[in-house]
Amino acid sequence: QYIEITSNLPNNANIYGIGETPDYFRRDPTNSTKTLWNRDAADPFRENVYGSHSVYMELRQGKFHGAYLHNSHGMDIVLANSTIQYRVLGGTADFYFFAGSSALAVIDQYTELVGRPNRIPYWSLGFHNCRYGYKSVYEVNEVIANYSKANIPLEVAWTDIDYMDKTRDFTFDPVNFPLEDMHKQLQNLHKNNQRMVLMTDPAIQHNTSYVSYSRGHELDVFIKNEDGSEFIGQVWPGYTVFPDWFAPNVDKWWHTELGEFFDKLPMDGMWIDMNEASSFCTGSCGTGKPADEIPVYPWTVESPLPHRDINTTNLFLVPPYAIHNPLAEISDKTIETTAVHSNGIIEYHVHNLYGYMESKTTREFLLQYRPNIRPFLLSRSTFSGSGAL
């Protein structure tokens, strides 16, 4: 459960990469700890956020070289005392080195390994509008119109989860975002050579009256607890289950749900969000709860419940080495690290791959649904090779 590898660096080395983290472009070689553990956090300075990329390049004596550790486990990469040190919570030390000697050559060699970026639609290079909190499709229509009035070229109008009915995937709010008026918006956008992108989350409301859950449950596509029951966290629609991207039937289920969604509204692209994966509670907090119970969002509670007792005897919940993920447990605000995938692998080993795996099957759907149209897909959570699927 712990691998440590240290290599010397020149004094004041010029290191670039190791993310995802808000930080200065050139990493501080004297005091940097880069944590790779995908986390729902917007922009905390120098902390881990949505993606994990254990690759860096160094500029030394006018030439670039690079190094990449192919490992999905949580880790700290520490720059200090003229060294780079990897502290990894498992897996193997599968290193690749790129000789360069230009920055472009390093990138070329790295992407030859993890995959070249896919080509994106030409229209996606234009100006986009996106914001959480629009109250209705009519407000979004007004925003789109105001771009034209201001002579600002708008290529794409995005809508966040506001369009959903009770924040459930593949649905439309019948009052504020009725499907008929969403169709009109899409038609008007297309008439002006503009595009529409909508958000989809992986978390599925745990409720047998919700058809996307019922079909997924029947096909056995959700992540499990150690006792074989479904792992139930909390996200926007309440208590939720999470697709297991390793499950044999998950592609069939996910593609069916997306196909019906696109049949209702043939939008131009997708934004998959909350796929670190994010959960608002720790552990399977929805286990044993009534299906129609909708918990309050934790940040709205004046006196939140204390954190659960930390089980230090379970080394997959509390590893011997604590990476610098700034929460009480590495399972906080995400899927429990002891949750089980259909292939028997626990979340601890593949946590950083969740968004990558969702991206992979979602892109496959888009290619099948519109085989002659270049897909547009944006994923919040990423891993090395994302975008080259």
Side-chain angles (χ1 to χ4, degrees):
Q1 271 194 271
Y2 184 70
I3 300 170
E4 182 176 297
I5 296 174
T6 307
S7 178
N8 289 330
L9 291 174
N11 291 329
N12 201 30
N14 297 299
I15 301 291
Y16 306 90
I18 313 172
E20 180 180 6
T21 177
D23 197 356
Y24 300 109
F25 182 55
R26 176 179 178 265
R27 304 311 193 201
D28 179 1
T30 65
N31 183 26
S32 288
T33 299
K34 297 299 166 203
T35 300
L36 275 62
W37 185 256
N38 293 355
R39 180 169 73 111
D40 177 2
D43 55 1
F45 187 58
R46 304 190 79 181
E47 293 181 5
N48 54 308
V49 291
Y50 308 122
S52 292
H53 300 266
S54 51
V55 60
Y56 76 88
M57 67 170 66
E58 180 193 343
L59 174 61
R60 187 186 302 187
Q61 296 178 349
K63 296 181 178 181
F64 284 91
H65 68 273
Y68 167 60
L69 172 58
H70 188 57
N71 188 310
S72 64
H73 287 78
M75 68 181 77
D76 284 341
I77 302 177
V78 181
L79 301 172
N81 303 316
S82 298
T83 65
I84 181 168
Q85 184 175 82
Y86 295 81
R87 305 170 182 174
V88 191
L89 298 185
T92 59
D94 188 10
F95 278 95
Y96 296 81
F97 300 95
F98 313 110
S101 60
S102 67
L104 182 59
V106 172
I107 294 169
D108 181 61
Q109 293 153 15
Y110 171 62
T111 56
E112 183 180 14
L113 173 69
V114 301
R116 308 290 192 193
N118 277 297
R119 292 178 178 177
I120 58 177
Y122 181 72
W123 54 260
S124 66
L125 300 174
F127 198 93
H128 298 238
N129 181 84
C130 177
R131 183 176 72 84
Y132 172 71
Y134 287 126
K135 303 302 181 186
S136 70
V137 62
Y138 317 111
E139 183 181 6
V140 178
N141 288 340
E142 186 177 349
V143 171
I144 295 169
N146 285 339
Y147 273 91
S148 297
K149 291 177 184 177
N151 292 317
I152 300 173
L154 177 67
E155 294 288 344
V156 192
W158 298 49
T159 304
D160 207 305
I161 60 173
D162 309 297
Y163 75 87
M164 298 178 182
D165 182 21
K166 302 174 184 175
T167 60
R168 294 180 298 188
D169 277 353
F170 320 120
T171 66
F172 296 89
D173 182 335
V175 176
N176 296 310
F177 290 86
L179 182 57
E180 180 182 0
D181 289 328
M182 291 293 286
H183 263 288
K184 291 178 182 177
Q185 183 185 99
L186 181 61
Q187 291 166 1
N188 288 331
L189 286 167
H190 285 177
K191 185 172 66 176
N192 295 308
N193 199 29
Q194 296 169 304
R195 306 295 193 277
M196 173 190 283
V197 171
L198 299 183
M199 174 192 281
T200 302
D201 293 338
I204 299 294
Q205 186 186 54
H206 180 252
N207 192 318
T208 54
S209 67
Y210 176 38
V211 66
S212 294
Y213 168 75
S214 296
R215 290 192 290 223
H217 176 77
E218 185 176 333
L219 290 172
D220 194 24
V221 301
F222 300 123
I223 293 176
K224 302 291 198 302
N225 291 306
E226 293 176 278
D227 64 4
S229 63
E230 289 173 339
F231 176 85
I232 307 172
Q234 180 192 356
V235 193
W236 299 113
Y239 293 121
T240 55
V241 292
F242 296 85
D244 177 1
W245 306 118
F246 295 93
N249 292 324
V250 74
D251 289 352
K252 175 183 176 181
W253 167 77
W254 187 245
H255 293 188
T256 297
E257 303 308 316
L258 288 177
E260 292 188 4
F261 186 42
F262 272 71
D263 287 345
K264 292 178 188 175
L265 186 70
M267 68 209 75
D268 301 288
M270 286 188 65
W271 169 18
I272 49 177
D273 195 47
M274 303 289 286
N275 55 351
E276 292 73 36
S278 177
S279 178
F280 300 155
C281 65
T282 300
S284 190
C285 59
T287 295
K289 303 287 186 175
D292 57 352
E293 179 180 337
I294 306 296
V296 298
Y297 298 138
W299 57 89
T300 65
V301 178
E302 289 187 10
S303 301
L305 294 173
H307 193 280
R308 69 181 184 183
D309 292 337
I310 296 177
N311 182 5
T312 57
T313 63
N314 189 322
L315 299 183
F316 291 116
L317 289 174
V318 184
Y321 171 74
I323 58 174
H324 286 65
N325 184 57
L327 298 170
E329 295 185 54
I330 56 175
S331 292
D332 286 349
K333 294 190 68 177
T334 191
I335 298 168
E336 185 97 87
T337 52
T338 55
V340 183
H341 293 268
S342 70
N343 56 4
I345 299 295
I346 61 171
E347 177 71 5
Y348 176 92
H349 301 294
V350 294
H351 167 81
N352 286 337
L353 294 176
Y354 195 86
Y356 175 90
M357 295 289 288
E358 183 189 13
S359 300
K360 186 174 184 296
T361 188
T362 304
R363 178 175 170 81
E364 289 171 357
F365 161 77
L366 292 171
L367 288 168
Q368 293 168 13
Y369 192 81
R370 293 182 180 136
N372 298 316
I373 295 179
R374 191 177 293 173
F376 177 81
L377 174 63
L378 178 72
S379 174
R380 187 170 82 175
S381 183
T382 57
F383 186 76
S384 298
S386 289
L389 305 170

Coordinates of all heavy atoms in Angstrom, one line a residue, residues 295-342:
P295 N -32.8 14.3 1.5 CA -32.0 15.0 2.6 C -31.7 16.4 2.2 O -31.6 16.8 1.0 CB -30.8 14.1 2.7 CG -30.6 13.6 1.3 CD -32.0 13.4 0.7
V296 N -31.5 17.2 3.2 CA -31.1 18.6 3.0 C -29.6 18.6 2.6 O -28.8 17.7 2.9 CB -31.3 19.5 4.2 CG1 -32.7 19.6 4.6 CG2 -30.5 19.0 5.4
Y297 N -29.2 19.6 1.9 CA -27.8 19.8 1.5 C -27.0 20.1 2.8 O -27.4 21.0 3.6 CB -27.6 20.9 0.5 CG -28.3 20.6 -0.8 CD1 -28.9 21.6 -1.5 CD2 -28.3 19.3 -1.4 CE1 -29.6 21.4 -2.7 CE2 -28.9 19.1 -2.6 CZ -29.6 20.1 -3.2 OH -30.3 19.9 -4.4
P298 N -25.9 19.4 3.0 CA -25.1 19.5 4.3 C -24.7 21.0 4.6 O -24.7 21.3 5.8 CB -23.9 18.6 4.1 CG -24.3 17.6 3.1 CD -25.3 18.3 2.2
W299 N -24.4 21.7 3.6 CA -23.9 23.1 3.8 C -25.0 24.1 4.2 O -24.8 25.2 4.6 CB -23.2 23.6 2.6 CG -24.0 23.6 1.3 CD1 -24.8 24.6 0.9 CD2 -24.0 22.6 0.4 NE1 -25.4 24.3 -0.3 CE2 -24.9 23.0 -0.7 CE3 -23.4 21.3 0.3 CZ2 -25.2 22.2 -1.8 CZ3 -23.7 20.5 -0.8 CH2 -24.6 21.0 -1.9
T300 N -26.3 23.6 4.2 CA -27.4 24.5 4.6 C -27.8 24.2 6.0 O -28.7 24.9 6.5 CB -28.6 24.2 3.6 OG1 -29.1 22.9 3.8 CG2 -28.3 24.4 2.2
V301 N -27.2 23.2 6.7 CA -27.6 22.9 8.0 C -26.8 23.8 9.0 O -25.6 23.9 8.9 CB -27.3 21.4 8.3 CG1 -27.6 21.0 9.7 CG2 -28.1 20.5 7.3
E302 N -27.5 24.4 9.9 CA -26.9 25.3 10.9 C -25.9 24.5 11.8 O -24.9 25.0 12.2 CB -27.9 26.0 11.7 CG -28.7 27.1 10.9 CD -29.6 27.9 11.8 OE1 -29.5 27.8 13.0 OE2 -30.4 28.7 11.2
S303 N -26.4 23.3 12.3 CA -25.6 22.5 13.2 C -25.4 21.2 12.6 O -26.1 20.2 12.9 CB -26.3 22.4 14.6 OG -26.5 23.7 15.1
P304 N -24.4 21.0 11.7 CA -24.2 19.8 11.0 C -23.8 18.7 12.0 O -23.2 18.9 13.0 CB -23.1 20.1 10.0 CG -22.4 21.3 10.5 CD -23.4 22.1 11.3
L305 N -24.1 17.4 11.6 CA -23.7 16.3 12.4 C -22.2 16.2 12.4 O -21.5 16.5 11.5 CB -24.3 15.0 11.8 CG -25.8 14.9 11.9 CD1 -26.3 13.7 11.1 CD2 -26.3 14.9 13.3
P306 N -21.6 15.7 13.5 CA -20.2 15.5 13.6 C -19.8 14.4 12.6 O -20.5 13.5 12.2 CB -19.9 15.0 15.0 CG -21.2 14.4 15.5 CD -22.3 15.2 14.8
H307 N -18.5 14.5 12.2 CA -18.0 13.5 11.3 C -18.0 12.1 11.9 O -17.9 12.0 13.2 CB -16.5 13.8 10.9 CG -16.0 13.0 9.8 ND1 -15.5 11.7 9.9 CD2 -15.8 13.4 8.4 CE1 -15.1 11.3 8.7 NE2 -15.2 12.3 7.8
R308 N -18.2 11.1 11.2 CA -18.3 9.7 11.7 C -16.9 9.4 12.4 O -15.9 9.9 12.0 CB -18.6 8.7 10.6 CG -17.5 8.5 9.6 CD -17.8 7.5 8.5 NE -16.7 7.2 7.6 CZ -16.8 6.4 6.5 NH1 -17.9 5.8 6.3 NH2 -15.7 6.2 5.8
D309 N -16.9 8.4 13.2 CA -15.7 7.9 13.8 C -14.8 7.3 12.7 O -15.3 6.6 11.9 CB -16.0 6.8 14.9 CG -16.7 7.4 16.1 OD1 -16.6 8.6 16.3 OD2 -17.4 6.6 16.8
I310 N -13.5 7.7 12.8 CA -12.6 7.2 11.7 C -12.1 5.8 12.1 O -11.5 5.6 13.2 CB -11.5 8.2 11.6 CG1 -12.0 9.6 11.1 CG2 -10.4 7.7 10.6 CD1 -11.0 10.7 10.9
N311 N -12.3 4.9 11.2 CA -11.9 3.5 11.4 C -10.4 3.3 11.0 O -10.1 3.0 9.8 CB -12.8 2.6 10.6 CG -12.5 1.1 10.8 OD1 -11.6 0.8 11.6 ND2 -13.2 0.3 10.0
T312 N -9.5 3.5 11.9 CA -8.1 3.4 11.6 C -7.6 2.0 11.4 O -6.5 1.7 10.9 CB -7.3 4.1 12.7 OG1 -7.6 3.5 13.9 CG2 -7.6 5.6 12.8
T313 N -8.5 1.0 11.7 CA -8.1 -0.4 11.5 C -8.2 -0.9 10.1 O -7.7 -1.9 9.7 CB -8.9 -1.3 12.5 OG1 -10.2 -1.3 12.1 CG2 -8.7 -0.9 13.9
N314 N -9.0 -0.1 9.3 CA -9.2 -0.5 7.9 C -8.3 0.3 7.1 O -8.5 1.5 6.9 CB -10.7 -0.3 7.5 CG -11.0 -0.8 6.1 OD1 -10.1 -0.8 5.2 ND2 -12.2 -1.3 5.9
L315 N -7.2 -0.3 6.5 CA -6.2 0.4 5.8 C -6.6 0.9 4.5 O -5.8 1.6 3.8 CB -4.9 -0.4 5.8 CG -4.3 -0.8 7.1 CD1 -3.0 -1.6 6.9 CD2 -4.1 0.4 8.0
F316 N -7.7 0.5 4.0 CA -8.2 1.1 2.7 C -9.1 2.3 2.9 O -9.4 3.1 2.0 CB -9.0 0.0 1.9 CG -8.1 -1.1 1.4 CD1 -8.3 -2.4 1.8 CD2 -7.1 -0.8 0.4 CE1 -7.5 -3.4 1.3 CE2 -6.3 -1.8 -0.1 CZ -6.5 -3.1 0.4
L317 N -9.6 2.5 4.2 CA -10.2 3.7 4.6 C -9.2 4.7 5.1 O -9.3 5.9 4.7 CB -11.3 3.4 5.6 CG -12.5 2.7 5.2 CD1 -13.4 2.4 6.5 CD2 -13.3 3.5 4.2
V318 N -8.3 4.3 5.8 CA -7.2 5.1 6.4 C -5.9 4.5 6.1 O -5.4 3.7 6.9 CB -7.4 5.3 7.9 CG1 -6.3 6.3 8.4 CG2 -8.8 5.8 8.2
P319 N -5.3 4.8 4.9 CA -4.0 4.1 4.6 C -2.9 4.5 5.5 O -2.9 5.5 6.2 CB -3.7 4.7 3.2 CG -5.0 5.3 2.7 CD -5.8 5.7 3.9
P320 N -1.8 3.7 5.6 CA -0.7 3.9 6.5 C -0.1 5.3 6.2 O 0.4 5.9 7.1 CB 0.3 2.8 6.2 CG -0.6 1.7 5.6 CD -1.7 2.4 4.8
Y321 N 0.0 5.7 4.9 CA 0.5 7.1 4.6 C -0.7 7.9 4.3 O -1.6 7.5 3.4 CB 1.5 7.0 3.5 CG 1.8 8.4 3.0 CD1 2.7 9.2 3.7 CD2 1.3 8.9 1.8 CE1 3.0 10.5 3.3 CE2 1.6 10.2 1.4 CZ 2.5 11.0 2.1 OH 2.8 12.3 1.7
A322 N -0.8 9.1 4.8 CA -1.9 10.0 4.6 C -1.5 11.0 3.5 O -0.7 11.9 3.8 CB -2.3 10.8 5.8
I323 N -2.0 10.9 2.3 CA -1.8 11.9 1.3 C -2.4 13.2 1.7 O -3.3 13.2 2.6 CB -2.3 11.4 -0.1 CG1 -3.8 11.2 -0.1 CG2 -1.5 10.2 -0.7 CD1 -4.5 10.9 -1.4
H324 N -2.0 14.3 1.1 CA -2.4 15.6 1.5 C -3.7 16.0 0.9 O -3.9 17.1 0.4 CB -1.3 16.6 1.2 CG -0.1 16.5 2.1 ND1 0.7 15.4 2.2 CD2 0.4 17.4 3.1 CE1 1.7 15.6 3.0 NE2 1.5 16.7 3.6
N325 N -4.7 15.1 0.9 CA -6.1 15.4 0.6 C -6.7 16.1 1.8 O -6.8 15.5 2.8 CB -6.8 14.2 0.2 CG -8.2 14.4 -0.3 OD1 -8.4 15.1 -1.2 ND2 -9.2 13.8 0.4
P326 N -7.1 17.4 1.7 CA -7.4 18.2 2.9 C -8.8 17.9 3.5 O -9.5 18.9 3.7 CB -7.3 19.6 2.4 CG -7.6 19.6 0.9 CD -7.2 18.2 0.4
L327 N -9.1 16.7 3.7 CA -10.3 16.3 4.3 C -10.0 15.2 5.4 O -8.9 14.7 5.4 CB -11.3 15.7 3.3 CG -11.8 16.7 2.2 CD1 -12.6 16.0 1.1 CD2 -12.6 17.8 2.8
A328 N -10.9 15.0 6.3 CA -10.7 14.0 7.4 C -10.4 12.6 6.9 O -9.5 11.9 7.4 CB -11.9 14.0 8.3
E329 N -11.1 12.2 5.8 CA -10.8 10.9 5.2 C -10.7 11.0 3.7 O -11.3 12.0 3.1 CB -12.0 9.9 5.5 CG -12.1 9.6 6.9 CD -13.2 8.5 7.1 OE1 -13.2 7.4 6.4 OE2 -14.2 8.7 7.9
I330 N -10.1 10.1 3.0 CA -10.0 10.2 1.6 C -11.4 9.8 1.0 O -11.6 10.0 -0.2 CB -8.9 9.3 1.0 CG1 -9.0 7.9 1.4 CG2 -7.5 9.9 1.3 CD1 -7.9 7.0 0.7
S331 N -12.3 9.2 1.8 CA -13.6 8.9 1.3 C -14.6 10.0 1.4 O -15.7 9.9 1.0 CB -14.2 7.7 2.1 OG -13.5 6.5 1.8
D332 N -14.2 11.1 2.1 CA -15.1 12.2 2.3 C -15.4 12.9 0.9 O -14.5 13.0 0.0 CB -14.4 13.3 3.2 CG -14.4 12.9 4.6 OD1 -15.1 11.9 5.0 OD2 -13.8 13.6 5.4
K333 N -16.7 13.2 0.7 CA -17.2 13.9 -0.5 C -17.0 13.1 -1.8 O -16.8 13.6 -2.9 CB -16.5 15.3 -0.6 CG -16.9 16.3 0.5 CD -16.5 17.7 0.1 CE -17.3 18.2 -1.0 NZ -16.9 19.7 -1.3
T334 N -16.9 11.8 -1.6 CA -16.7 10.9 -2.8 C -17.2 9.5 -2.5 O -17.8 9.3 -1.4 CB -15.3 10.9 -3.3 OG1 -15.2 10.3 -4.6 CG2 -14.4 10.2 -2.3
I335 N -17.1 8.6 -3.4 CA -17.5 7.2 -3.2 C -16.5 6.6 -2.2 O -15.3 6.8 -2.2 CB -17.4 6.4 -4.5 CG1 -18.4 7.0 -5.5 CG2 -17.7 4.9 -4.3 CD1 -18.3 6.5 -6.9
E336 N -17.1 5.8 -1.2 CA -16.3 5.1 -0.2 C -15.2 4.3 -0.9 O -15.4 3.6 -1.8 CB -17.2 4.2 0.6 CG -16.5 3.5 1.8 CD -16.8 4.3 3.1 OE1 -17.8 4.0 3.7 OE2 -16.0 5.1 3.4
T337 N -14.0 4.4 -0.3 CA -12.8 3.7 -0.9 C -13.0 2.1 -0.8 O -12.3 1.4 -1.5 CB -11.5 4.1 -0.3 OG1 -11.6 4.0 1.2 CG2 -11.1 5.5 -0.7
T338 N -13.8 1.7 0.1 CA -14.1 0.2 0.2 C -15.2 -0.3 -0.6 O -15.5 -1.5 -0.6 CB -14.3 -0.2 1.7 OG1 -15.4 0.6 2.2 CG2 -13.1 0.1 2.5
A339 N -15.9 0.7 -1.3 CA -17.0 0.2 -2.2 C -16.4 -0.7 -3.3 O -15.3 -0.5 -3.7 CB -17.7 1.5 -2.8
V340 N -17.3 -1.6 -3.8 CA -16.8 -2.7 -4.7 C -17.3 -2.5 -6.1 O -18.5 -2.3 -6.3 CB -17.2 -4.0 -4.1 CG1 -16.6 -5.2 -4.9 CG2 -16.7 -4.2 -2.6
H341 N -16.5 -2.7 -7.1 CA -16.9 -2.7 -8.5 C -17.2 -4.2 -8.9 O -16.8 -5.1 -8.2 CB -15.8 -2.1 -9.3 CG -15.6 -0.7 -9.1 ND1 -16.2 0.3 -9.9 CD2 -14.8 0.0 -8.2 CE1 -15.9 1.5 -9.5 NE2 -15.0 1.4 -8.5
S342 N -17.8 -4.4 -10.0 CA -18.3 -5.7 -10.4 C -17.1 -6.7 -10.7 O -17.3 -7.9 -10.6 CB -19.1 -5.6 -11.7 OG -18.4 -5.2 -12.8

